[in-house]
Amino acid sequence: MSTLDIKQVSKQFGDKQILNKLDLEVHEGEFVALLGPSGSGKSTIFHMIGGLFTPDEGSIYIDNKEITGKRGSISYMPQTPSLFPWRTILDNVLLSQEINGKPDKQKAIKMLERAGLIDYQHAFPHQLSGGMRQRVAFVRSLLSPQSFICLDEPFSALDELTRLDMQNWLLSIWEEERPSVLFVTHNIEEAIYLSDRIVVLGEQEKRIIHEQEVPFKRPRKESITLTEEFLASKKNIYKKLRRISHV
Ligand code: ADP
Ligand code: MG
């Protein structure tokens, strides 16, 4: 089981209010996309879930257990994959398990196979492309003993085609294992294509101002992005983000 519950969380840096009484829930096995403009506090939310920052007020729960200000309750994949350059790919993906006691090498190898990285298990990070390093970082989060996964704009540095490949790869892996995921992005199409539910963070309100269910069944196919229904979802979110009443 793995759920997230953020209750009335506020955060200020200096005298600048970043979040104001934010509520946000992710249910068991749900893939939620958090959309918001750059600088609206998305990474700050992750840093608080991860316990790097403590909120000024409010509480955070994983699996109904309060973890406010505590580290180590989630598997976190940052914006740029932080692989250790001196460790091989296999040793990098085993790292989070090593820290927690019992590395499962067989499972790691199976996941690397699934990620198309098996030929690189003994290579070092600098020998891989950007997309491959992202896959390594993602495999590492899937292998970590914490089952709630937070992904912070994992594909934003990739070119459009690599991004599409990565989204499809992520979907195929996610659909097999169905971990609970909170996925941060500023890309509306990416949010619709990947998630079950989209929540929009309002820059002025500093909390969630809109949420909508994504109507597409799984497994998802790229062709849904060309449908009227996809465009309708996109328009609706665009209006909320841009604060306009019609497009
Ligand atoms: P996002 O991820 O949505 O782009 P961030 O959460 O990174 O936004 O940042 C939100 C705001 O908080 C920004 O104005 C940023 O400058 C500020 N901020 C983030 N971290 C810190 C910090 N450690 N100290 C001071 N200000 C910060
Ligand atoms: Mg960010």
Side-chain angles (χ1 to χ4, degrees):
M1 152 165 140
S2 205
T3 61
L4 168 72
D5 196 358
I6 299 180
K7 281 202 160 74
Q8 298 281 297
V9 157
S10 303
K11 183 69 187 171
Q12 218 166 306
F13 288 120
D15 53 12
K16 193 174 169 204
Q17 184 93 31
I18 308 297
L19 298 167
N20 186 14
K21 298 190 183 301
L22 174 100
D23 286 316
L24 174 61
E25 270 182 53
V26 178
H27 308 125
E28 170 66 23
E30 196 183 24
F31 194 127
V32 173
L34 172 65
L35 258 175
S38 189
S40 58
K42 303 183 299 297
S43 295
T44 302
I45 294 174
F46 274 3
H47 292 145
M48 288 193 293
I49 303 171
L52 301 177
F53 300 145
T54 306
D56 300 331
E57 56 173 346
S59 321
I60 303 174
Y61 303 84
I62 293 276
D63 297 343
N64 301 317
K65 224 177 68 200
E66 181 160 10
I67 55 133
T68 320
K70 285 192 198 144
R71 294 196 186 201
S73 310
I74 55 156
S75 164
Y76 172 65
M77 180 176 158
Q79 222 155 328
T80 45
S82 53
L83 304 178
F84 290 98
W86 61 86
R87 292 191 138 220
T88 64
I89 296 309
L90 181 61
D91 286 343
N92 261 289
V93 301
L94 284 171
L95 188 71
S96 55
Q97 293 184 319
E98 273 171 29
I99 292 168
N100 291 281
K102 42 173 196 299
D104 184 346
K105 211 166 174 171
Q106 285 320 314
K107 187 163 184 209
I109 287 172
K110 205 182 120 216
M111 291 296 299
L112 285 176
E113 226 155 25
R114 189 82 185 68
L117 292 165
I118 197 65
D119 293 342
Y120 294 87
Q121 58 173 313
H122 302 303
F124 290 90
H126 75 269
Q127 296 170 292
L128 275 63
S129 69
M132 289 161 92
R133 282 199 290 266
Q134 287 287 3
R135 294 209 294 265
V136 174
F138 187 61
V139 166
R140 185 172 61 188
S141 1
L142 283 173
L143 284 168
S144 102
Q146 297 87 359
S147 50
F148 192 91
I149 300 181
C150 286
L151 302 167
D152 194 354
E153 307 203 35
F155 308 144
S156 60
L158 304 175
D159 63 78
E160 194 57 29
L161 288 176
T162 311
R163 173 191 272 259
L164 254 175
D165 284 343
M166 288 295 296
Q167 288 170 346
N168 288 329
W169 177 78
L170 173 79
L171 275 181
S172 68
I173 299 272
W174 183 81
E175 277 159 4
E176 247 173 46
E177 310 240 333
R178 297 262 175 162
S180 310
V181 172
L182 182 59
F183 184 99
V184 160
T185 179
H186 58 254
N187 184 315
I188 301 178
E189 294 194 9
E190 177 166 272
I192 304 170
Y193 187 45
L194 297 177
S195 73
D196 297 314
R197 185 160 58 94
I198 294 172
V199 294
V200 175
L201 183 61
E203 205 170 13
Q204 290 160 28
E205 295 82 356
K206 306 175 195 318
R207 66 175 81 96
I208 304 302
I209 52 163
H210 173 70
E211 68 175 277
Q212 73 185 56
E213 300 283 330
V214 175
F216 302 104
K217 289 197 190 71
R218 300 185 184 274
R220 301 248 167 103
K221 295 203 179 67
E222 242 170 83
S223 55
I224 64 166
T225 62
L226 303 171
T227 61
E228 288 291 326
E229 211 176 3
F230 194 91
L231 189 62
S233 295
K234 193 174 156 183
K235 271 187 183 165
N236 199 36
I237 296 167
Y238 184 81
K239 285 191 287 192
K240 304 293 177 191
L241 271 173
R242 305 295 300 167
R243 298 165 184 289
I244 45 181
S245 52
H246 53 271
V247 189

